[in-house]
Structures are given as structure tokens and as C-alpha cells.
């Protein structure tokens, strides 16, 4: 039966795509299949279209345009489950961005981005409205609990009074007579007293349960890992951290009872992240695959925030939300969770968490900043102490030779020369930490440049503090050699 249902949904998706491609009327087809407009269809759309893009890149852009049109129609369709319609549309928009990049298809990319913004806003509105309804239901439920508790308190008080009265009566009867005629009455009263005491105990237990925290012993916590923040970027990811230790530190807080959900957001197609695979599987963390669909936009942060808000309104038992990231963008998310009555725990590297995010969290758990590997430190020291200082002569010489590639600067070198202040600026602009690197060759720029221009066609004029180009070497009549350029003495 499950396979049959999946096949029906697959056929429905194909019918939708075919009808859209052939410009047929879509609404009757949607109206006849309202039950199939659900989250399963959204997942199927993502999977099948991504596979088709990969297998048949030649038709990818044409298929993408069909999906954009279909997503727009479903987004505007007002029958069935509006939230599910929206998820299907979003799935279509996000999937086509694999093909419609900003550089290759700017027009389609812009249309999809605008549609996504509208869809995200609509989804946020639906979530907010749902949350409001849940909060209203919660208030009504709490009011009913309070009323019931008051009634039980009154009944408990009455039971206590009855117990006291019966106890007094029995005591008096025992004192008045010990005859057999009074024994049945005393026995009956004692039985009634026992029954009332048992009733009193049951009421007290029920009242205590009604006042107890509903979260004790429950799975009340969700943890969200921003892997890119933990690895300190993508260019050279740091993997020297322990997800197990992070989880252990969280479980040791008095806010966390049991962990219900754990999600880790990253581009898991990056082979360098495979080292985290075993630990993620061991801890039961769900790896959420993220692609950067749009230009200069953090897709992982966006998806993380969306998932948090969906869980906040759909899982009332989740009261504690843990954000493992130091990104200040999550400060607004933490504030919104507070509006919904949730507790927020921040977890990030010491000294690298945004101060605003830290201030709005109910609790902050630091992660020790990972230390650089010994091999990296040694390599860094070798580079900084030897290779860079040795190369500074070569790098500077190359920059000076490049001056001759610029027509204007070449003319200056040939005629009046270029003043050392200008040369200094060029070197600092083109060589990082230039002044620091040249220190070992002399305290002054002049002494350093003398070392650089040895055996080159560039010379230093002491008279006017300029670099000039040596074009001739004249020999005086007395046989001595005089290096001159336009009448300027050279060293």
C-alpha cells in the first residue's frame, strides 16, 4: 500500500509537470487531488527534479522554467492545505536555483528570488497565526486546570473537616462506652474514616500532579549545530572539536531534561567533513544538507532559523532550544523564541560569540577554542622567520620591475625618477606587512632598497632621493667609470 500511494503521487507530479509544459489548465487537476498536495509531494519534487538536472543537464533550464511556472500556480492556489501548498512552491523555487544561477540566468534568478521572499513571508505569517492559536488554546487549557485545581482544593478541605469530625466522634464514643452495643457504630465510623483518608490521599496526589512541571522527565530539548561556525569557515575547516563533549555539557545543565531533536547544518558533500560522520551517527544527530542557493546569502543560517520556528509552534513539549553557533544573526531568533515562552541556550567558542547573542540567551555554555596543531605552528614559524624574510627581497625586486610595465611610471624612471615616498607607498600596497618584513635588512628604507636593486637596471639617486633607470654607463676620459643618467650621479 505505501508503494502504491508513492506511485500515485509520482504520477500526479508527472501530470502536473506535463500539463504546465503544455499550457493546460492546472486548477481542475489540483482540485481533484487536494489530498496529494502535501509535504510528501514537496520532498518528491526536490528529489526527482535534482536527479533530472544531474542526469540531463541539456534540458535543465527548460525544465527549470516549467517548475517556476508550476510553483507560482501552486503558491497562489487557495484550496486544500495552504501551508502544504506553500511548501511545495518553495521546494520548486529552491530546487531550480541549482540551475538558474545569478551569473548564467540572471532574469530567472531574479524572478525566483522575489518569489522566494514572498513565499518565506507567507510561511512566516502562517506560522505566526498558528502559534497564536496554540497560545490561545494553551491559555484556555491552563484556565481549566486552575478551575479544576480550585475545586479539588475545596473538596480536599471539606474532606479534612470530615475526617476531623469523625475522629472527634470516634474518640468521644470510645470514652463514653466500651459496651458491645456501641461496637457496631464505632466499627462503621472507623471504616468511614479510613475511606475518607484514602480519598484525601488521592486528592492530594492529583493536586500535586496538576501543579508539577509538565516538562519533568520529558524530551524537552532541541539542539541545532551551525557546522560552518564550528569549523571556523570553509576555506580551511577546523575539525578539532567534540560534538560529544558539547552534548555532555548541555545535559549537565538543569534546563535540559532529555534531548528530543538534534540537527547539524552543513554542505555535507564537502569530503573534508567526513571526519565528523561517525560522531554524528553515534550521537543520533540528523545531518541537514545545505546548498548556498543565492549569492552571498548564508543558506544554512536561514534553514536553521526556519526549522527552529516550525518546531517551536508544532512541538509544544519542546521548551529548550540550543543554538550551537556564535553568529550574531541568531540574536533575533533567540528573542523571537522568548516571545513564544521558550528557553534559549547559546553554545560557542570562548571569545568568539557575538555579545548581543550571548546577552539574550538564558544560558551560555562555552566551547574551548581549538588549539592549532603542533605541525601547523612549526610550519608557521618557519615561514614567518625564514621564508618570508628571505622572499621579501625577491618580492620587492619583482614589484620594482613591474613599475616598468606601466607607461607613466616607466617615463618617470627614465626622466626625473620616482621619489622614495611614492616607492614606499607602492611597496606597502602590494606587499603585506612590508615594513615589518624588511626590518632585518636595515632600519631605513634606503639601506633596504640598496640591497634589493643590486645587479638590476634600477639605481638610487642620493641627491634627490629617487629611484631612476640606468640607461647608460659613461666612461670618463681619465679612464674612471662614472655612472650617470641625465646628469644625475648614481650609486
Amino acid at each position: 500500500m505505501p508503494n502504491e500511494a508513492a506511485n500515485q503521487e509520482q504520477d500526479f507530479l508527472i501530470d502536473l509537470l506535463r500539463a504546465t509544459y503544455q499550457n493546460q489548465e492546472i486548477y481542475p487537476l489540483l482540485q481533484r487531488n487536494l489530498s496529494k498536495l502535501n509535504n510528501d509531494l514537496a520532498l518528491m519534487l526536490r528529489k526527482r527534479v535534482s536527479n533530472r538536472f544531474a542526469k540531463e543537464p541539456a534540458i535543465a533550464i527548460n525544465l527549470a522554467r516549467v517548475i517556476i511556472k508550476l510553483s507560482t500556480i501552486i503558491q497562489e492556489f487557495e484550496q486544500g492545505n495552504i501551508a502544504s501548498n506553500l511548501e511545495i512552491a518553495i521546494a520548486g523555487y529552491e530546487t531550480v536555483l541549482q540551475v538558474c544561477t545569478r551569473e548564467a540566468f540572471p532574469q530567472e534568478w531574479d524572478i525566483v528570488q522575489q518569489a522566494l521572499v514572498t513565499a518565506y513571508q507567507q510561511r512566516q505569517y502562517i506560522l505566526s497565526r498558528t502559534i497564536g492559536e496554540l497560545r490561545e488554546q494553551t491559555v484556555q487549557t491552563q484556565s481549566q486546570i486552575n478551575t479544576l485545581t480550585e475545586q479539588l482544593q475545596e473538596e480536599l478541605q471539606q474532606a479534612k473537616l470530615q475526617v476531623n469530625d469523625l475522629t472527634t466522634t470516634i474518640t468521644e464514643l470510645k470514652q463514653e462506652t466500651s459496651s458491645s452495643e456501641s461496637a457496631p457504630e464505632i466499627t462503621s465510623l472507623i471504616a468511614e474514616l479510613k475511606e475518607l483518608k484514602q480519598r484525601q490521599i488521592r486528592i492530594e496526589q492529583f493536586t500535586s500532579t496538576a501543579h508539577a512541571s509538565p516538562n519533568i522527565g520529558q524530551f524537552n530539548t532541541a539542539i541545532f549545530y551551525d557546522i560552518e561556525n564550528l569549523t571556523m569557515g570553509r576555506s580551511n575547516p577546523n575539525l578539532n572539536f567534540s560534538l560529544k563533549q558539547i552534548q555532555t555539557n548541555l545535559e549537565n545543565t538543569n534546563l535540559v531534561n532529555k534531548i528530543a531533536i538534534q540537527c547539524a547544518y552543513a554542505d555535507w558533500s564537502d569530503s573534508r567533513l567526513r571526519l565528523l560522520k561517525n560522531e554524528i551517527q553515534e550521537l543520533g544527530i540528523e545531518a541537514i544538507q545545505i546548498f548556498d542557493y543565492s549569492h552571498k546569502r548564508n543558506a544554512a543560517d536561514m534553514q536553521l532559523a526556519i526549522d527552529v520556528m516550525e518546531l517551536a509552534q508544532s512541538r509544544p513539549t519542546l521548551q529548550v532550544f540550543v543554538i550551537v553557533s556564535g553568529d550574531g544573526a541568531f540574536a533575533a531568533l533567540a528573542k523571537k523564541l522568548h516571545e513564544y515562552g521558550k528557553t534559549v541556550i547559546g553554545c560557542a567558542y570562548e571569545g568568539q560569540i557575538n555579545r548581543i547573542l550571548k546577552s539574550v540567551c538564558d544560558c551560555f555554555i562555552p566551547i574551548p577554542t581549538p588549539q592549532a596543531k603542533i605541525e601547523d605552528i612549526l610550519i608557521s614559524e618557519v615561514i614567518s622567520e625564514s621564508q618570508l624574510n628571505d622572499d621579501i627581497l625577491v618580492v620587492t625586486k619583482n614589484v620594482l620591475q613591474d613599475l616598468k610595465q606601466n607607461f607613466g611610471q616607466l617615463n618617470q624612471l627614465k626622466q626625473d625618477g620616482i621619489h622614495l615616498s611614492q616607492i614606499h607607498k607602492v611597496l606597502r600596497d602590494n606587499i603585506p606587512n612590508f615594513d615589518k618584513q624588511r626590518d632585518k635588512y636595515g632600519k631605513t628604507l634606503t639601506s633596504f632598497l640598496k640591497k634589493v636593486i643590486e645587479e638590476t637596471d634600477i639605481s638610487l639617486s642620493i641627491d634627490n632621493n629617487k629611484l631612476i633607470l640606468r640607461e647608460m654607463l659613461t666612461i670618463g676620459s681619465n679612464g674612471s667609470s662614472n655612472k650617470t643618467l641625465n646628469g644625475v650621479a648614481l650609486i
Side-chain angles (χ1 to χ4, degrees), residues 36 38-47 84 87-89 91-92 95:
K36 296 187 179 74
N38 51 40
N39 291 337
D40 291 339
L41 184 65
L43 292 173
M44 181 178 294
L45 177 62
R46 287 183 189 273
K47 182 177 179 180
S84 296
E87 290 304 318
I88 296 170
T95 305

Side-chain angles (χ1 to χ4, degrees), residues 462-482:
I462 296 181
D463 294 340
N464 54 13
N465 259 353
K466 291 183 178 181
L467 287 186
I468 55 179
L469 191 64
R470 183 188 300 122
E471 289 186 327
M472 64 185 69
L473 182 64
T474 61
I475 307 297
S477 59
N478 57 3
S480 61
S481 65
N482 297 312

Side-chain angles (χ1 to χ4, degrees), residues 142-299:
Q142 187 61 48
S143 176
Q144 293 173 355
I145 291 174
N146 292 339
T147 302
L148 179 59
T149 302
E150 292 176 359
Q151 293 174 352
L152 288 173
Q153 290 286 4
E154 293 178 0
E155 188 173 349
L156 176 61
Q157 188 64 30
Q158 292 176 0
K160 287 181 178 180
L161 293 174
Q162 291 176 355
V163 168
N164 293 335
D165 291 343
L166 283 172
T167 301
T168 302
T169 303
I170 291 171
T171 302
E172 292 175 352
L173 287 172
K174 284 182 177 181
Q175 291 175 351
E176 289 178 0
T177 179
S178 58
S179 64
S180 59
E181 295 179 359
S182 302
E185 184 178 357
I186 294 175
T187 302
S188 175
L189 288 172
I190 290 174
E192 187 176 352
L193 175 61
K194 289 181 179 180
E195 183 181 350
L196 284 171
K197 283 186 175 181
Q198 290 176 354
R199 183 181 178 189
Q200 178 183 352
I201 291 172
R202 289 195 299 269
I203 294 173
E204 288 177 344
Q205 290 176 343
F206 187 87
T207 305
S208 176
T209 303
H211 283 86
S213 172
N215 292 325
I216 294 177
Q218 290 188 357
F219 291 87
N220 72 329
T221 301
I223 306 176
F224 302 87
Y225 301 88
D226 181 358
I227 297 298
E228 183 175 337
N229 190 270
L230 283 175
T231 58
M232 299 182 178
R234 301 181 184 177
S235 58
N236 185 25
N238 164 69
L239 302 176
N240 190 21
F241 58 86
S242 170
L243 296 174
K244 175 65 175 177
Q245 188 60 50
I246 293 173
Q247 187 183 104
T248 300
N249 293 340
L250 289 169
E251 290 174 340
N252 290 336
T253 66
N254 56 6
L255 297 174
V256 175
N257 290 327
K258 293 183 181 180
I259 299 173
I261 295 173
Q262 294 187 86
C263 298
Y265 298 79
D267 181 0
W268 296 105
S269 62
D270 188 338
S271 60
R272 295 170 296 180
L273 298 182
R274 290 178 182 173
L275 296 175
L276 300 176
K277 180 180 178 181
N278 290 339
E279 191 175 21
I280 283 179
Q281 291 179 340
E282 178 185 348
L283 299 175
I285 299 173
E286 182 180 0
I288 306 297
Q289 173 63 42
I290 296 296
F291 296 99
D292 281 333
Y293 295 114
S294 53
H295 183 62
K296 292 183 179 180
R297 182 173 296 176
N298 194 327

Side-chain angles (χ1 to χ4, degrees), residues 354-370:
N354 179 272
R355 59 182 182 85
I356 299 178
L357 173 59
K358 184 175 181 180
S359 66
V360 298
C361 289
D362 301 288
C363 175
F364 172 68
I365 299 177
I367 304 173
T369 303

Side-chain angles (χ1 to χ4, degrees), residues 315-330:
R315 304 282 186 89
T317 56
L318 292 178
Q319 292 298 315
V320 180
F321 287 78
V322 181
I323 301 173
V324 184
S325 175
D327 194 336
F330 292 123

